[in-house]
Amino acid sequence: MPFLEISMWQGFEDHKKEKLISELTDVVMRIVECPKEAVHIIIREESRENWASGGVQHSKKFKKES
Amino acid sequence: MPFLEISMWQGFEDHKKEKLISELTDVVMRIVECPKEAVHIIIREESRENWASGGVQHSKKFKKES
Amino acid sequence: MPFLEISMWQGFEDHKKEKLISELTDVVMRIVECPKEAVHIIIREESRENWASGGVQHSKKFKKES
Amino acid sequence: MPFLEISMWQGFEDHKKEKLISELTDVVMRIVECPKEAVHIIIREESRENWASGGVQHSKKFKKES
Amino acid sequence: MPFLEISMWQGFEDHKKEKLISELTDVVMRIVECPKEAVHIIIREESRENWASGGVQHSKKFKKES
Amino acid sequence: MPFLEISMWQGFEDHKKEKLISELTDVVMRIVECPKEAVHIIIREESRENWASGGVQHSKKFKKES
């Protein structure tokens, strides 16, 4: 049942996504007490032009990575 | 009023999207009893690297199509 | 894999939700060509105060149902 | 706290996104009465093939319009 | 076309929602250059127990603030 | 930056939500390498009537399970 959507900046390497998915799934199944197969995840990547906080795009706010 | 978001793997052919949109709209307007123009749909395509279930990315879990 | 989120006004009867889910699932599995079990749906109900189009809340725009 | 997701057609110029983010943030902080830094925005761009209303894809419904 | 989802804490008064919707719609139609009727908004209210930043629920982090 | 939305069945106890938020935040900040304060989470609770997989509402599919 639990369904996770993770919005992040574009461009994370595949091994980081893999690790993120694996560890988030473990946390959810342990605390929610559901079968591992029941945990679904979608990573939504967005460019820094399309993210903002405090009224400023992250492409202007952050030069390198957060 | 009804608003549908459909998250799917990337790469569906345009004629499948067209058919999906047309048939989903018909189901919704008939059951919800709203005007056809009131039904809005967005298809959100995500790569298989960005989908996971059971803690494993779909790029690793599925070789061909689901 | 396909994941549907349907945002609708609050208050649809359970038998309408049941029918909507059943028919939407059939459309998706037939066109996307995936197993039935792979189709996930969440209905997100929102009050008419929380919906708007053309700058006007649906609680003010629509007196009865759409 | 307030979190805005704006789904739009693909291809808006950066200066329009910048202006949109800046003005939406101002509206939210003024009415919600929260600090500017608390307002988060994500713009989700989707192709016109992936948008539909009235059962028709926007790639077919609209020829030019932004 | 543009579709806005605004996630906020639960409990905003109706006149604030009305104002928010009206002003956000004006900003979007002016910058995106679309008809007013094309702008759709959903406000998604969530309790402070269900919001978190920095690993802490807003029900614990904020005592009063709207 | 990272923004997590977790859709779950309604009715989880507050101490489970607290634990979930705390552990998910730790995973994200460690793997994404961002400041703890940058991790935002919203839990979206939905009734079992409003969840479905395989064309069947979870209110009918699951009698007890969390």
Side-chain angles (χ1 to χ4, degrees):
Chain A
M1 153 208 58
F3 180 71
L4 271 79
E5 291 174 86
I6 311 167
S7 297
M8 304 196 311
W9 291 344
Q10 237 161 18
F12 280 84
E13 293 145 311
D14 191 60
H15 77 270
K16 285 209 173 179
K17 292 181 187 173
E18 187 178 23
K19 208 161 145 52
L20 193 60
I21 281 164
S22 161
E23 296 199 22
L24 292 177
T25 301
D26 286 346
V27 166
V28 170
M29 66 174 284
R30 184 164 37 77
I31 296 174
V32 171
E33 295 173 64
C34 66
K36 193 167 189 172
E37 272 310 313
V39 183
H40 293 78
I41 296 180
I42 297 179
I43 298 175
R44 306 217 189 258
E45 293 181 278
E46 303 290 342
S47 74
R48 294 178 193 206
E49 282 75 32
N50 288 0
W51 273 89
S53 50
V56 182
Q57 284 166 297
H58 287 182
S59 51
K60 276 135 201 170
K61 206 169 188 168
F62 301 97
K63 303 293 165 187
K64 283 262 136 132
E65 214 124 319
S66 79
Chain B
M1 145 212 64
F3 181 71
L4 271 78
E5 292 175 85
I6 311 166
S7 297
M8 304 197 308
W9 290 344
Q10 238 163 15
F12 280 84
E13 293 145 312
D14 191 59
H15 76 271
K16 287 210 172 179
K17 291 181 187 173
E18 186 179 22
K19 208 162 145 52
L20 193 60
I21 280 164
S22 161
E23 296 199 22
L24 292 177
T25 301
D26 286 347
V27 166
V28 170
M29 65 174 285
R30 184 163 38 76
I31 296 174
V32 171
E33 296 174 63
C34 66
K36 193 167 188 171
E37 272 310 312
V39 183
H40 293 78
I41 296 181
I42 297 178
I43 298 175
R44 305 218 188 258
E45 293 181 278
E46 302 291 341
S47 74
R48 295 177 192 206
E49 282 75 33
N50 286 1
W51 273 88
S53 49
V56 181
Q57 284 166 298
H58 286 183
S59 51
K60 274 136 201 170
K61 206 169 187 168
F62 301 97
K63 303 292 163 187
K64 284 259 134 140
E65 215 124 322
S66 82
Chain C
M1 147 211 64
F3 181 71
L4 272 78
E5 292 175 84
I6 311 166
S7 296
M8 304 196 310
W9 289 345
Q10 236 161 18
F12 281 83
E13 293 146 313
D14 191 59
H15 77 270
K16 287 211 173 180
K17 292 180 187 172
E18 188 180 18
K19 210 162 143 49
L20 193 60
I21 281 164
S22 161
E23 297 200 21
L24 291 178
T25 301
D26 286 346
V27 166
V28 171
M29 66 174 284
R30 183 163 39 75
I31 296 173
V32 171
E33 296 172 66
C34 66
K36 193 168 191 171
E37 273 309 315
V39 183
H40 292 79
I41 295 181
I42 297 179
I43 297 174
R44 306 217 188 259
E45 293 181 278
E46 303 290 341
S47 75
R48 294 175 193 211
E49 282 76 32
N50 287 0
W51 273 88
S53 49
V56 181
Q57 283 167 299
H58 287 182
S59 51
K60 275 136 202 169
K61 204 168 189 170
F62 302 97
K63 301 293 164 187
K64 284 258 134 140
E65 215 123 323
S66 76
Chain D
M1 151 210 61
F3 180 71
L4 272 78
E5 291 174 86
I6 311 166
S7 297
M8 305 196 311
W9 290 344
Q10 237 161 16
F12 281 84
E13 293 145 310
D14 192 59
H15 77 270
K16 285 211 173 179
K17 292 181 187 173
E18 187 179 21
K19 208 161 144 52
L20 194 60
I21 281 164
S22 161
E23 296 199 23
L24 292 177
T25 301
D26 286 346
V27 166
V28 171
M29 65 174 286
R30 182 164 38 77
I31 297 174
V32 170
E33 295 173 64
C34 65
K36 193 167 190 172
E37 272 310 313
V39 183
H40 292 80
I41 296 181
I42 296 178
I43 298 175
R44 306 217 188 259
E45 293 181 278
E46 303 289 343
S47 74
R48 293 176 193 209
E49 283 75 31
N50 288 0
W51 273 89
S53 50
V56 181
Q57 285 166 296
H58 287 182
S59 50
K60 276 134 201 171
K61 206 168 188 167
F62 302 96
K63 303 292 165 188
K64 271 266 134 137
E65 260 183 273
S66 75
Chain E
M1 150 209 64
F3 180 70
L4 271 78
E5 293 175 84
I6 312 166
S7 297
M8 304 196 312
W9 290 345
Q10 236 160 19
F12 281 83
E13 293 145 312
D14 191 59
H15 76 270
K16 287 210 173 180
K17 292 180 187 173
E18 188 179 20
K19 209 163 145 51
L20 194 59
I21 281 163
S22 161
E23 297 200 21
L24 292 177
T25 301
D26 287 346
V27 166
V28 171
M29 66 174 285
R30 183 163 38 75
I31 297 173
V32 171
E33 296 172 67
C34 66
K36 192 168 190 171
E37 272 310 313
V39 184
H40 293 79
I41 297 181
I42 297 179
I43 297 174
R44 307 217 188 259
E45 292 181 279
E46 304 290 341
S47 74
R48 295 178 192 209
E49 282 76 34
N50 288 0
W51 273 88
S53 49
V56 181
Q57 285 166 296
H58 288 182
S59 51
K60 275 137 201 169
K61 205 167 187 169
F62 302 96
K63 302 294 163 183
K64 271 266 136 134
E65 263 185 271
S66 71
Chain F
M1 149 209 60
F3 180 70
L4 271 78
E5 292 175 85
I6 311 167
S7 296
M8 304 197 310
W9 290 344
Q10 237 160 18
F12 280 83
E13 293 145 312
D14 191 59
H15 76 271
K16 286 208 172 180
K17 292 180 187 173
E18 187 180 21
K19 209 163 144 51
L20 194 60
I21 280 163
S22 160
E23 296 200 21
L24 292 177
T25 301
D26 286 346
V27 166
V28 170
M29 66 174 284
R30 184 163 38 76
I31 297 173
V32 171
E33 296 173 65
C34 66
K36 194 168 190 171
E37 273 309 313
V39 183
H40 293 80
I41 296 180
I42 297 179
I43 297 175
R44 307 218 187 258
E45 292 181 279
E46 303 291 341
S47 75
R48 294 179 193 206
E49 283 75 32
N50 287 359
W51 273 89
S53 49
V56 181
Q57 284 166 297
H58 287 182
S59 50
K60 275 135 200 170
K61 205 168 188 168
F62 302 96
K63 302 295 162 185
K64 270 268 136 136
E65 263 185 88
S66 74

